[in-house]
Amino acid sequence: MSQSLDRALTLVGELATGPKTLDELSGVIDVHKSTAMRLLRTLESHRFVQREGVHHYRLGTALFDLANRALEERDVRRSAENALRDLNARTGYTVHLASYEDGEVIYIDKYDSTHPMRMYSRIGRRAPLHCTAVAKVLLSDLPEPRRREVARSIDYVPLTANTITTPDAYLAELDRVRAAGYAVDNAEHEDFIHCVAAPVRGARGEVVAAVSMSVPKVLLDYDGLLGHLPDLLATARAASVECGWSPRD
């Protein structure tokens, strides 16, 4: 690495801790103030550094632009792959990854069950908003006005005896999901399958996807399904870390 580049990156790293004076910054890289000034002017011209007053500097807007671009370009499917694959290998049950896009919940990845009975879901298929665990997780993270708007727009087709059929009941369910940190589909979509889902979070703590485990009831009863909840939550946590989320959040 060139000496000038190394010094410039050191200055940027130092400014990440807060605004600094020219004297402080020149001391960090152990150069004369005129040398530090030249580096800072170059960084300032590219918006990596912003001057405050006469001799104070802080991080510039270009860094925030780059950070946002990097976050937007992260492929949640690729980032979550190892965690989901491991969950599927440990349990043998179907594992899905879903995202909320343009008002729809879409399955973006799937790991098939190793048991004889399998689900016929597929990547790219839409998940019903009112009766799937992944949709509940994703919609529960929306701002309250948007949650209410979406809840009122749903056509509550009763697919099983357990399907939620009113906006008020659905909003109450989303409140429970938000508080609990996971969602269930207790034979609400298909009467012979139940499912549990958890959020995958991004760097800002926002829910970027939902991971779920789906099991035919003949293979595992409802209590048995919830018995896998700690493993599912650990999987969601590991996937979240890979997507840029910090456990400190």
Side-chain angles (χ1 to χ4, degrees), residues 4 22-23 30 41 111 113 131 159 174 201 204 208 229-230:
S4 294
L22 177 61
D23 285 340
D30 195 25
R41 283 177 176 168
Y111 296 85
S113 170
C131 58
L159 300 177
L174 294 185
R201 298 187 180 274
R204 294 177 294 275
V208 295
L229 180 59

Side-chain angles (χ1 to χ4, degrees), residues 25-224:
L25 292 170
S26 60
V28 167
I29 57 175
D30 195 25
V31 298
H32 191 272
K33 286 191 292 185
S34 61
T35 301
M37 177 69 78
R38 286 196 296 271
L39 291 170
L40 289 165
R41 283 177 176 168
T42 300
L43 291 169
E44 186 179 9
S45 70
H46 291 278
R47 298 188 297 113
F48 290 114
V49 165
Q50 180 178 338
R51 186 163 40 185
E52 281 191 334
V54 179
H55 292 301
H56 282 77
Y57 296 85
R58 63 182 301 169
L59 292 180
T61 57
L63 284 171
F64 301 106
D65 290 341
L66 289 174
N68 285 330
R69 289 182 193 178
L71 290 171
E72 289 170 0
E73 290 174 2
R74 291 185 74 96
D75 186 340
V76 63
R77 180 180 175 183
R78 184 171 63 247
S79 297
E81 180 179 0
N82 288 337
L84 271 61
R85 191 183 300 279
D86 288 347
L87 177 65
N88 172 254
R90 287 194 302 273
T91 65
Y93 299 126
T94 301
V95 174
H96 287 111
L97 186 69
S99 66
Y100 184 63
E101 303 172 15
D102 300 324
E104 296 180 327
V105 172
I106 308 292
Y107 292 114
I108 59 175
D109 211 350
K110 177 187 178 184
Y111 296 85
D112 280 311
S113 170
T114 59
H115 297 282
M117 293 187 65
R118 297 189 178 187
M119 294 184 63
Y120 292 98
S121 58
R122 58 177 173 79
I123 296 172
R125 183 180 179 183
R126 291 187 295 272
L129 300 184
H130 65 303
C131 58
T132 57
V134 289
K136 294 176 185 179
V137 165
L138 292 164
L139 295 182
S140 71
D141 190 58
L142 296 177
E144 184 176 357
R146 181 59 180 154
R147 289 204 306 272
R148 293 187 175 278
E149 181 183 350
V150 172
R152 294 190 183 102
S153 71
I154 293 173
D155 184 10
Y156 291 90
V157 177
L159 300 177
T160 76
N162 292 344
T163 303
I164 294 173
T165 57
T166 68
D168 287 344
Y170 189 62
L171 287 168
E173 177 73 357
L174 294 185
D175 285 342
R176 284 192 289 270
V177 171
R178 194 176 180 90
Y182 69 92
V184 295
D185 159 9
N186 186 10
E188 299 166 44
H189 183 207
E190 297 173 290
D191 58 12
F192 59 94
I193 289 175
H194 47 201
C195 177
V196 61
V200 177
R201 298 187 180 274
R204 294 177 294 275
E206 78 284 12
V207 176
V208 295
V211 56
S212 69
M213 186 174 69
S214 302
V215 188
K217 292 161 67 176
V218 297
L219 293 180
L220 194 66
D221 63 17
Y222 187 68
D223 289 339

Side-chain angles (χ1 to χ4, degrees), residues 7-21:
R7 287 171 173 170
L9 292 174
T10 300
L11 290 175
V12 170
E14 183 66 16
L15 289 172
T17 65
K20 298 288 187 299
T21 65

